[in-house]
Amino acid sequence: MGNVWIFIEQDAGKIAEVSLELLSKGTELAQRLGVKTEAVLLGKHVSALAKTLHEHGADNVFLAEDPRLEPYSALPYTKVVCELIRAHNPNILMFGATNMGRSLAPRVASTVLGGLTADCTALEIDDFEDRANSRVMKDRLMQIRPAFGGNIIATIANSWGDPQMVTVREGVMQLKEPKPGRTGKVTPVKVELTDAETVVNIIERVKSESKVNLKSARIIVAGGYGAGSKENFGLIHKLAEAIGGEVGASRAAVDAGWIDHEHQVGQTGVTVRPKLYIACGISGSIQHRAGMSSSAKIIAINTDASAPIFSIAHYGIVGDLKEVIPMLINAIKGKDQ
Ligand SMILES: Cc1cc2nc3c(=O)[nH]c(=O)nc-3n(C[C@H](O)[C@H](O)[C@H](O)COP(=O)(O)OP(=O)(O)OC[C@H]3O[C@@H](n4cnc5c(N)ncnc54)[C@H](O)[C@@H]3O)c2cc1C
């Protein structure tokens, strides 16, 4: 059986956190299958990153270094990754569902004629009953993700061959602590590219960094459509400020124009795991819960005692957020004095 591979996204020598999260998950899957975890690292002068990858669980790093592999470009990356697949036949290949991963993974899948499931929210190993061909396939990758607008959770299995490919969004898999001093192998990869594969010349890149960092926030105060207006949504900002948290939002609040999309939590927003998540005027749809249900403690404030958010909340306050939030702010400020 082939190994479990993780495509490592790096930009100017900085590894994307989602790649390390996938190494954590990949290591778990590899242990379950009794195979090795291998990282696929492409770029220019990136060999120093192998140490970090070993410490995060990679047994081997396929290292492809070439000036033409920096910055990312679809054609040369697709060529190098596909040639590696043909040479080594991995069982599983995981990509971050980032701009880079979403560009590369489908190109790789269509070139090697593999199956690809996008935006998985869970990954498990199980036997797959392939009813069409009356057979049971041992130890296949169960690729779990919401489908049909989030109304069902689908389990998808690839029955026609390896690698079984997936993309996973940032924050979905838990990043495990690295093991300092852990070592592994590095396998240099010969990069052979034709003029046709290096036809794109990147002249300039303009980057804008997001000012919102919901992913690493310890406390998030999130507001939903129950806020009722942009003015009332100001209460969410005030509570976040009082408690030292970041502001999150449901899609309904974003669609209403009360806050920017970069604050959206959920299936089509950010996935978060803060120590404390305070959901104010949020009903708790499956798409919202997909992005916050792993929070350590959840407090919900909602006028409707039967709102689904209460089914996952550790503490619930049934009440109008316009009354409850000012009381909470006063209590927090009183405690501070
Ligand atoms: C493909 C797809 C992807 C999606 N992705 C996301 C996503 O990433 N994130 C996301 O959030 N949604 C997402 N959605 C939308 C999702 O289905 C819900 O529509 C959305 O989460 C609802 O937001 P809400 O809870 O703020 O609003 P509502 O469902 O309208 O709930 C408002 C809540 O506020 C309560 N309320 C009303 N007044 C008050 C008050 N004064 N004080 C306290 N409580 C009050 C109500 O009782 C109600 O429970 C997606 C939908 C689809 C189809």
Side-chain angles (χ1 to χ4, degrees):
M1 182 185 285
N3 291 328
V4 173
W5 282 18
I6 291 89
F7 170 77
I8 304 300
E9 175 167 341
Q10 65 80 27
D11 188 20
K14 188 171 183 302
I15 299 173
E17 197 162 312
V18 65
S19 300
L20 301 180
E21 293 166 2
L22 292 182
L23 264 178
S24 298
K25 185 67 194 181
T27 307
E28 189 190 307
L29 297 175
Q31 273 165 5
R32 164 73 178 76
L33 292 168
V35 299
K36 296 214 176 307
T37 309
E38 300 189 295
V40 179
L41 176 63
L42 280 64
K44 181 174 104 177
H45 304 318
V46 287
S47 56
L49 303 180
K51 179 176 178 287
T52 307
L53 303 176
H54 291 141
E55 290 181 345
H56 277 86
D59 299 307
N60 175 38
V61 177
F62 287 108
L63 176 66
E65 286 189 300
D66 190 291
R68 294 167 296 177
L69 296 175
E70 194 77 49
Y72 168 78
S73 185
L75 290 176
Y77 268 59
T78 304
K79 166 84 178 290
V80 173
V81 174
C82 289
E83 290 209 336
L84 270 174
I85 292 172
R86 290 189 185 111
H88 300 276
N89 292 321
N91 183 354
I92 292 170
L93 173 53
M94 297 154 78
F95 300 82
T98 56
N99 289 341
M100 193 191 289
R102 284 176 173 151
S103 156
L104 180 61
R107 286 179 161 89
V108 171
S110 61
T111 308
V112 300
L113 301 179
L116 170 69
T117 302
D119 291 350
C120 292
T121 51
L123 296 169
E124 290 164 12
I125 303 294
D126 207 346
D127 293 346
F128 170 61
E129 192 187 345
D130 177 11
R131 289 190 193 151
N133 295 301
S134 310
R135 60 178 176 167
V136 174
M137 299 180 79
K138 295 288 287 175
D139 292 340
R140 300 301 286 169
L141 181 67
M142 300 294 125
Q143 305 154 31
I144 300 161
R145 56 152 297 155
F148 296 110
N151 290 314
I152 63 158
I153 299 293
T155 299
I156 298 164
N158 165 349
S159 61
W160 61 89
D162 296 341
Q164 305 167 83
M165 281 180 270
V166 293
T167 68
V168 179
R169 285 176 44 221
E170 193 176 354
V172 170
M173 300 301 169
Q174 195 150 16
L175 176 61
K176 295 195 183 127
E177 285 297 316
K179 293 194 176 116
R182 185 182 184 279
T183 56
K185 237 175 92 182
V186 174
T187 306
V189 175
K190 197 167 171 210
V191 177
E192 283 173 303
L193 297 169
T194 62
D195 288 349
E197 284 145 4
T198 52
V199 73
V200 176
N201 184 13
I202 295 165
I203 297 160
E204 189 191 2
R205 290 197 307 158
V206 180
K207 286 205 229 171
S208 65
E209 298 290 336
S210 169
K211 291 186 201 81
V212 185
N213 192 358
L214 280 181
K215 241 200 94 191
S216 54
R218 289 171 58 82
I219 301 176
I220 295 174
V221 182
Y225 201 64
S229 68
K230 189 165 187 169
E231 290 66 42
N232 289 344
F233 203 88
L235 284 170
I236 312 294
H237 289 275
K238 283 188 184 153
L239 179 55
E241 199 185 312
I243 203 169
E246 284 273 3
V247 176
S250 70
R251 176 155 137 184
V254 171
D255 287 350
W258 302 338
I259 188 156
D260 289 342
H261 177 259
E262 55 187 348
H263 292 265
Q264 183 178 315
V265 173
Q267 188 186 322
T268 43
V270 188
T271 302
V272 296
R273 309 169 185 270
K275 297 267 176 240
L276 176 62
Y277 189 91
I278 310 180
C280 313
I282 293 178
S283 58
S285 65
I286 188 163
Q287 295 90 353
H288 188 79
R289 294 199 316 254
M292 48 67 73
S293 60
S294 300
S295 305
K297 282 281 175 286
I298 299 169
I299 300 177
I301 306 169
N302 200 302
T303 43
D304 177 4
S306 62
I309 192 76
F310 287 125
S311 67
I312 57 159
H314 301 92
Y315 302 97
I317 303 172
V318 179
D320 186 332
L321 64 86
K322 297 191 285 303
E323 292 164 13
V324 176
I325 292 182
M327 284 196 272
L328 282 175
I329 294 172
N330 284 340
I332 292 162
K333 287 190 174 159
K335 205 175 152 196
D336 282 347
Q337 282 157 10

